[in-house]
Amino acid sequence: MSSGIWLSTDKGITWKCVTADLPVENVKKIQIAPSNPKIVYAASTVGILKSENGGLNWKFTNLNILQKLPCSDRQKLNDDRTLLTVSPRNENELIAAVNDSLYKTVDGGLNWKLIKADWLCQFLEYHPGSGEIIYSGGANKKTPNAFSIIRSTNRGNKFTQVTKGLPDTSKLLRLHDITACVSLSDPDKLYVTIFGDAMVPTTIKKENKRQMVGTFLVSKDKGKSFQLVPQTNNYRMIDSHFSLFHPYSADENKKEYNFEFMDKSFWQGNFQQVGWATAFAISNKDPKTMVLAGSGAALSTDGGTTWNYLRKQGNYHIHGDIQHAKIIGNDVWLVNDGGVNHIDLQTRVQTRLEGYSGQDLWGFSTSFKSEVMAIGVDHSGTMIYDEKNYGKDWYHFGGGDAMTASVNPFDDRYIYATPYNHQIIKRPKFLRDEATSVPSPISFGYIPYRNVEFHPTNIYSFYAVDEDKPHWRYDTCRIVFTPDNGKTIDTLLEFPKKAYGKRVRLSVSHPEYVYAICNKPSIVYKSIDAGKTWQLITPDHEKAIKYGFSDIVIDDRDPNHLFLTVSGFQNEIKVLESKNGGQSWSDYRSQSLPKNEILTAAFQRGTKGGIYLGCYPGVFYTSENLNSWEPVGKNLPYSSVNFLMINYDKQLLRIGTHRGLFETSLVEENSPKARFALNKTKLPSGKSDEWKVFFYDHSAIAGKGSSWKWEFPGSVQGSSSEQNPIIDYETAKPGKYSVRLTITDSKGVSDSFEWKDAIEVKYNYPWNLRERKLE
């Protein structure tokens, strides 16, 4: 994915990650030292980094949280307030904003001094021609919605607040964003935008409603005072500074202004997303050329008085959530959550750079045996990996803000996904072909990190959490079940109104045992009849209920032996254990875990209580052979582990994080545990191959050196040594037939699973014909 710092030396055609060996996650700002282009600094959520060779290699300065890695604590530098600015005259002098404080170094990052505490910084800039003047905007920690602009004239040793010409701070109920820009082309000017919520009377009913407002200011005297930048057509000024720029309320006279990007004001950038994404840039050559962007991008060539589309009409649309902009000569660079875009100011043609993408992984799952994987990618679509059929390319189904991506672990042709809307995808056999899809009757939720739970013996049967409305607007979540690959849906359990349905888990060894979790309120449910009836097994534990539950693990040996993980960045209670199906609970080794939030968990079949925890950050493991939870693996980025997948065939643990997919060897080997699924249990069934049954092995066994022995009484073949056989019951008499699988690993250890009366032959016309002929 996009973790870390990336370098292009050919104007964005190709990219290379230059921090692949460092635990870097989000990077909020990169700045080349103006006095020495070989020195580059970067502000990341793990700490401040430095390169001494033009960005080829990086190391952390001493302002970092490396001592907390890989997974000893949740401490992380704030995404929105981790910034830096480098002195234009001294490559070793810089100011950094970290969480709620400003720090300064004069020796290139070896030593840092706290220069301002309790400061929620949103922008930080040196005057581009002075090594003395520093600007910063933000808010005091005690009053986070009362914005301030502060200024230093002695290299950051002392800051004073600027008030002249600034708006009334009490006007905003909530401060969204302060963005500022200075430019070498006019170094004494400082431009500032301020966005937030305010109570605004509507134009028709004259009712006060909370709406989004903004202002665009300039200082022409090195930040001493400010004045409004005149606009030709601001949408409704509500006082001398702020104007309503995005009228959400239906009770507004929207006909007064044309909001189709033609009103010639900078509001046409469509800034409904300024709460989390605003970018502002001034040309390094022409101070009258500037770009302002939020979810759209607007261009001014007259110093901010009139604005128009940045890109030409009809070109590829720039994805919203634009975070940063830069104008170098005729080149405009926009960085958004989806990647990097380039616009040529002469032609106004916009190009998305394909070698780099700014994306998060929001969905991940794998098949049991075939190495098929599927992911959902924020700002991209559902993507599918099948090296056997596609090579080492990922098949891109399409979509945007893709979320859930669940592979049918047996029949891996089917993907249950949310490329944007919810779909059941049948993937193509070859990379050159097109996939097909149908709308899913199940709403898997918006960025839910939930599981779709597949039945361990029936390949097209699965459980899921369903929502009644999309995009966090749900009123009700419920547990649903489909026996026929989504053609029909049964509601098994409805959670309390507005409760968040978190998990549904199934016992592999006893699939009639089903468990479910919801939060707000925190409730744990249990069914021993495949979801027909439910009982409450919520722990009587005040702190665990306060933090909520993230997952439940079922021991493969006993469906009543349970492990319940507790949410929250805390070390009060982490994991609860029940040995009696939830009648009572006790702490399970919580003292050996750090504060890291537990996000998901998985049981390793064939072990003595082997459990993996996926956390933010890190992965942990314990079993009855160990005395505590132990960290697993190395080289993980500082990211959340939302998905855990165990590949028994390769003996690998695969995890899905925001920053990509990673794998490591399983901590302990597991004994073989036999299990299989099939595509149908009643014959005849279907118009073609109606007497054939497809069997899918999903035993917990390493593939190398292992063997499979199947017994199929009544079938044509009678037995098989294939791993996934197709068995013909054309000659079977009407009746019920059992199936038995015995697996043996490379060490000679065996295990068997017998499904009594698995196949029911109701009527066999060909068999009856043969009986008559024999008579």
Side-chain angles (χ1 to χ4, degrees):
M1 305 298 283
S2 60
S3 175
I5 300 171
W6 294 67
L7 174 67
S8 175
T9 58
D10 52 14
K11 205 172 181 178
I13 297 173
T14 60
W15 294 86
K16 177 184 179 182
C17 182
V18 289
T19 55
D21 58 343
L22 296 174
V24 182
E25 193 186 30
N26 291 348
V27 179
K28 305 307 293 186
K29 187 175 180 180
I30 299 173
Q31 186 174 355
I32 299 169
S35 61
N36 183 355
K38 288 188 175 295
I39 304 299
V40 192
Y41 294 94
S44 82
T45 49
V46 178
I48 308 301
L49 296 103
K50 181 181 182 180
S51 171
E52 296 179 347
N53 57 3
L56 292 172
N57 303 99
W58 293 81
K59 61 182 179 181
F60 279 95
T61 70
N62 287 333
L63 185 57
N64 63 66
I65 55 169
L66 291 175
Q67 72 277 9
K68 298 291 185 180
L69 302 182
C71 52
S72 62
D73 204 340
R74 182 252 175 175
Q75 182 183 346
K76 173 183 175 181
L77 306 185
N78 185 282
D79 281 10
D80 297 320
R81 296 193 296 273
T82 305
L83 299 167
L84 61 81
T85 184
V86 185
S87 168
R89 296 184 178 179
N90 184 351
E91 66 198 54
N92 292 312
E93 183 174 317
L94 61 149
I95 311 291
V98 172
N99 289 342
D100 56 2
S101 300
L102 296 182
Y103 296 87
K104 179 180 177 180
T105 181
V106 294
D107 55 14
L110 292 175
N111 297 283
W112 293 85
K113 177 184 178 182
L114 176 67
I115 58 173
K116 185 170 179 60
D118 299 328
W119 178 243
L120 307 180
C121 184
Q122 291 205 18
F123 80 81
L124 184 63
E125 298 287 349
Y126 268 95
H127 181 289
S130 167
E132 302 291 326
I133 299 174
I134 302 165
Y135 311 114
S136 185
N140 187 279
K141 188 177 180 180
K142 295 181 180 179
T143 54
N145 290 314
F147 61 85
S148 296
I149 307 295
I150 58 175
R151 178 176 180 267
S152 173
T153 58
N154 58 4
R155 301 164 58 200
N157 294 319
K158 181 181 179 182
F159 285 90
T160 57
Q161 185 173 349
V162 179
T163 58
K164 189 175 181 180
L166 289 176
D168 180 3
T169 60
S170 66
K171 179 70 69 172
L172 297 185
L173 300 173
R174 179 187 175 192
L175 174 62
H176 282 300
D177 185 81
I178 305 177
T179 302
C181 190
V182 294
S183 172
L184 283 171
S185 57
D186 198 351
D188 289 347
K189 284 185 180 178
L190 170 66
Y191 287 87
V192 174
T193 63
I194 302 172
F195 300 101
D197 288 351
M199 295 302 294
V200 182
T202 60
T203 54
I204 299 175
K205 294 183 180 180
K206 308 298 182 183
E207 296 176 337
N208 280 339
K209 287 200 172 184
R210 184 168 179 159
Q211 300 197 67
M212 301 180 77
V213 299
T215 188
F216 184 27
L217 307 169
V218 62
S219 171
K220 299 179 180 180
D221 54 7
K222 303 179 182 179
K224 297 176 184 177
S225 63
F226 287 85
Q227 62 191 62
L228 203 65
V229 178
Q231 299 286 295
T232 57
N233 202 16
N234 268 11
Y235 181 82
R236 195 151 73 87
M237 300 293 295
I238 65 170
D239 64 8
S240 59
H241 287 93
F242 286 112
S243 61
L244 186 67
F245 72 94
H246 188 72
Y248 280 123
S249 171
D251 187 29
E252 289 288 354
N253 184 7
K254 299 178 186 179
K255 294 181 180 180
E256 183 179 352
Y257 290 90
N258 183 348
F259 276 86
E260 297 302 320
F261 298 98
M262 298 301 293
D263 63 5
K264 304 299 182 184
S265 79
F266 80 93
W267 307 129
Q268 74 177 14
N270 196 17
F271 297 118
Q272 73 265 34
Q273 293 176 250
V274 295
W276 59 89
T278 315
F280 186 31
I282 303 172
S283 169
N284 67 325
K285 293 184 177 180
D286 178 9
K288 292 185 177 181
T289 299
M290 53 185 64
V291 168
L292 199 57
S295 57
L299 170 70
S300 175
T301 57
D302 58 7
T305 299
T306 60
W307 299 78
N308 212 324
Y309 264 120
L310 171 60
R311 66 183 178 92
K312 270 190 173 182
Q313 296 279 354
N315 290 326
Y316 175 85
H317 179 63
I318 298 172
H319 190 99
D321 304 329
I322 299 171
Q323 306 285 357
H324 197 68
K326 206 82 170 179
I327 307 175
I328 307 296
N330 288 318
D331 298 312
V332 178
W333 303 90
L334 297 180
V335 182
N336 59 17
D337 286 0
V340 180
N341 299 269
H342 172 262
I343 298 94
D344 186 316
L345 276 181
Q346 290 182 321
T347 64
R348 303 279 285 283
V349 172
Q350 182 259 328
T351 304
R352 175 174 173 170
L353 306 181
E354 297 298 337
Y356 171 85
S357 58
Q359 300 168 331
D360 286 345
L361 187 136
W362 283 356
F364 171 54
S365 76
T366 68
S367 64
F368 281 142
K369 299 284 183 174
S370 65
E371 295 288 288
V372 173
M373 294 181 278
I375 57 175
V377 182
D378 169 30
H379 299 298
S380 188
T382 299
M383 303 176 73
I384 305 163
Y385 187 84
D386 180 359
E387 189 171 335
K388 181 179 179 181
N389 290 322
Y390 303 161
K392 293 188 177 181
D393 293 323
W394 285 77
Y395 178 88
H396 190 224
F397 173 78
D401 289 358
M403 294 158 270
T404 300
S406 297
V407 180
N408 187 310
F410 311 107
D411 188 351
D412 58 34
R413 297 175 299 170
Y414 291 96
I415 313 292
Y416 312 87
T418 310
Y420 188 78
N421 297 314
H422 310 285
Q423 301 284 321
I424 298 177
I425 301 167
K426 190 174 182 180
R427 67 186 182 88
K429 187 174 183 180
F430 301 104
L431 190 61
R432 65 178 181 269
D433 296 335
E434 292 293 326
T436 59
S437 68
V438 296
S440 169
I442 302 171
S443 175
F444 301 113
Y446 185 73
I447 327 180
Y449 304 123
R450 294 188 182 122
N451 63 302
V452 174
E453 191 79 338
F454 294 89
H455 197 281
T457 55
N458 301 307
I459 70 171
Y460 298 120
S461 300
F462 62 87
Y463 298 78
V465 180
D466 178 55
E467 293 182 0
D468 61 346
K469 295 178 182 178
H471 283 245
W472 288 316
R473 300 185 183 97
Y474 66 88
D475 288 321
T476 305
C477 293
R478 59 184 184 146
I479 300 294
V480 296
F481 172 74
T482 175
D484 49 17
N485 212 28
K487 293 177 182 177
T488 61
I489 300 294
D490 294 324
T491 298
L492 302 181
L493 172 67
E494 191 168 290
F495 295 115
K497 191 171 183 178
K498 294 295 183 182
Y500 179 74
K502 181 68 177 177
R503 297 284 183 193
V504 56
R505 293 293 187 187
L506 197 64
S507 170
V508 175
S509 58
H510 295 78
E512 67 275 12
Y513 280 73
V514 187
Y515 295 89
I517 299 170
C518 72
N519 285 323
K520 297 182 180 180
S522 302
I523 306 175
V524 185
Y525 299 85
K526 174 185 179 181
S527 173
I528 59 173
D529 53 12
K532 295 176 183 178
T533 60
W534 297 84
Q535 57 182 297
L536 298 181
I537 58 167
T538 309
D540 184 17
H541 195 293
E542 183 179 350
K543 290 182 178 178
I545 292 174
K546 168 189 170 184
Y547 291 114
F549 307 112
S550 56
D551 212 338
I552 190 165
V553 172
I554 308 163
D555 194 325
D556 192 37
R557 303 166 297 180
D558 178 2
N560 286 306
H561 188 199
L562 311 172
F563 300 89
L564 186 64
T565 60
V566 183
S567 302
F569 295 99
Q570 46 85 21
N571 57 6
E572 297 175 73
I573 181 68
K574 306 294 289 185
V575 182
L576 293 169
E577 178 187 26
S578 176
K579 296 181 179 179
N580 53 17
Q583 296 180 42
S584 61
W585 298 85
S586 59
D587 181 85
Y588 188 70
R589 303 178 176 178
S590 292
Q591 73 282 353
S592 62
L593 283 167
K595 291 182 178 180
N596 304 32
E597 182 171 26
I598 303 172
L599 302 174
T600 188
F603 188 89
Q604 184 179 342
R605 295 159 54 199
T607 63
K608 295 182 178 180
I611 304 170
Y612 292 92
L613 302 178
C615 302
Y616 190 175
V619 178
F620 297 84
Y621 177 83
T622 197
S623 73
E624 294 169 12
N625 296 324
L626 303 173
N627 296 319
S628 62
W629 294 96
E630 303 293 338
V632 177
K634 297 179 180 179
N635 302 323
L636 285 183
Y638 199 78
S639 187
S640 55
V641 179
N642 294 299
F643 307 96
L644 293 169
M645 299 288 163
I646 298 176
N647 186 305
Y648 294 100
D649 187 61
K650 298 281 193 300
Q651 290 289 291
L652 293 172
L653 174 69
R654 287 183 173 145
I655 66 171
T657 79
H658 276 168
R659 307 265 63 99
L661 306 179
F662 298 81
E663 68 182 15
T664 190
S665 299
L666 295 175
V667 175
E668 295 183 296
E669 292 184 2
N670 54 270
S671 300
K673 292 287 289 186
R675 179 65 61 169
F676 63 84
L678 42 73
N679 67 329
K680 53 190 171 186
T681 58
K682 298 183 185 299
L683 301 176
S685 175
K687 295 181 180 179
S688 62
D689 292 330
E690 59 183 9
W691 297 109
K692 293 180 179 179
V693 180
F694 290 70
F695 289 88
Y696 293 82
D697 166 64
H698 68 101
S699 303
I701 188 172
K704 188 175 182 180
S706 297
S707 61
W708 290 260
K709 179 184 178 182
W710 296 84
E711 299 171 57
F712 302 107
S715 71
V716 173
Q717 292 87 349
S719 63
S720 177
S721 59
E722 296 181 15
Q723 187 174 358
N724 299 303
I726 302 173
I727 301 301
D728 194 336
Y729 284 86
E730 184 180 0
T731 60
K733 295 181 179 181
K736 294 183 178 180
Y737 298 89
S738 299
V739 177
R740 182 180 179 86
L741 170 63
T742 300
I743 58 174
T744 305
D745 67 12
S746 60
K747 299 178 181 178
V749 181
S750 299
D751 187 59
S752 298
F753 169 62
E754 183 176 15
W755 185 353
K756 292 188 178 295
D757 299 333
I759 305 295
E760 182 179 2
V761 178
K762 288 187 174 182
Y763 178 67
N764 192 333
Y765 184 68
W767 176 81
N768 287 337
L769 279 179
R770 280 189 293 276
E771 287 294 301
R772 291 195 192 98
K773 287 179 180 179
L774 289 173
E775 291 174 356

